[in-house]
Amino acid sequence: LNLQAVQLDPGNLNYRLNTANVLMMLGRYSNALGVLKVAQQVAKTPLEAAVVQRMVQRVNDFWARAGHASP
């Protein structure tokens, strides 16, 4: 449903953050980072950009805890 929400409203940063969070929880860290890379382009304010950057760090932290080297 998150992917459908992003398709319906690609400029909605919250939909992208939710999608990245679900992917991260599923252990699909690379996919989550891909979603966040696009989210960085969608961010319109410095606050939004900071939120995306924190999420990138969070995904990388989870990835490291899972025993994998982050990209």
Side-chain angles (χ1 to χ4, degrees), residues 44-62:
K44 296 177 181 113
T45 68
L47 178 60
E48 288 180 345
V51 169
V52 174
Q53 187 55 43
R54 280 194 304 271
M55 186 69 175
V56 167
Q57 186 58 51
R58 185 171 177 226
V59 172
N60 283 324
D61 290 346
F62 269 78

Side-chain angles (χ1 to χ4, degrees):
L1 291 175
N2 278 315
L3 293 174
Q4 186 176 12
V6 169
Q7 289 175 343
L8 292 173
D9 189 1
N12 188 312
L13 183 63
N14 287 323
Y15 292 164
R16 292 181 185 278
L17 294 173
N18 287 338
T19 301
N21 193 46
V22 169
L23 290 168
M24 179 185 67
M25 293 314 214
L26 292 172
R28 295 174 54 188
Y29 306 111
S30 180
N31 296 111
L33 290 174
V35 168
L36 292 170
K37 182 177 181 180
V38 176
Q40 288 172 327
Q41 299 168 358
V42 172
K44 296 177 181 113
T45 68
L47 178 60
E48 288 180 345
V51 169
V52 174
Q53 187 55 43
R54 280 194 304 271
M55 186 69 175
V56 167
Q57 186 58 51
R58 185 171 177 226
V59 172
N60 283 324
D61 290 346
F62 269 78
W63 199 342
R65 283 189 215 129
H68 305 287
S70 58

